[in-house]
Amino acid sequence: MENEQKKPKTWLMQTLIICCLLSIVVSFYFFYYKKDFDFIVEVTCDKTKETCFERDCSNPDDCPPNGLSDFKRYSLKASDFDKCKNEDCASVCASGEIKCTAVKCEPDTETGESCVSPEIPENSQ
């Protein structure tokens, strides 16, 4: 009688352990080996030539480690990030060596980011 009660519990526990191990293996494959996810990277931006994100870096605590106050963002595959030199993807994105998708600039008041467009000089005629 005791063996009959133990058997279903053991079967259930084995099934749970197998499912947990399977989920760990699948996660390892997709995130570590295949790197099937996207990175968002920030690169320098010249606000006189293109639309840029802008944030106030006068207080170092409000600024990320890269220290960029004017920047643009790109989305790229994590597997392509290895091709970026010194974690700066500006040159490889510009050359088309890897596929980078520009992130459209939208103001975010929560993080204190705004968008700055280049000023168009007025033609005096």
Side-chain angles (χ1 to χ4, degrees), residues 1-107:
M1 192 70 138
E2 286 181 28
N3 286 342
E4 289 178 15
Q5 289 178 350
K6 272 188 170 184
K7 196 169 188 172
K9 290 181 182 179
T10 305
W11 180 83
L12 179 63
M13 187 59 82
Q14 289 173 349
T15 302
L16 288 174
I17 291 171
I18 289 171
C19 288
C20 287
L21 290 174
L22 184 63
S23 68
I24 290 170
V25 169
V26 168
S27 297
F28 179 80
Y29 173 75
F30 281 107
F31 291 110
Y32 185 76
Y33 179 73
K34 192 174 178 186
K35 296 181 182 177
D36 191 21
F37 57 98
D38 291 341
F39 273 170
I40 302 291
V41 295
E42 295 178 353
V43 298
T44 57
C45 181
D46 184 2
K47 63 183 177 182
T48 61
K49 297 179 182 175
E50 54 194 335
T51 301
C52 303
F53 287 92
E54 183 178 60
R55 69 175 148 234
D56 183 18
C57 282
S58 58
N59 182 0
D61 294 335
D62 295 339
C63 213
N66 65 13
L68 294 175
S69 57
D70 298 316
F71 59 96
K72 55 187 172 182
R73 287 190 177 121
Y74 287 110
S75 173
L76 57 112
K77 293 286 183 193
S79 56
D80 290 337
F81 187 71
D82 293 339
K83 296 175 184 168
C84 298
K85 302 209 182 345
N86 297 324
E87 297 183 7
D88 183 13
C89 299
S91 60
V92 290
C93 285
S95 69
E97 187 177 330
I98 60 175
K99 183 182 177 196
C100 300
T101 306
V103 176
K104 184 181 177 194
C105 187
E106 294 181 9

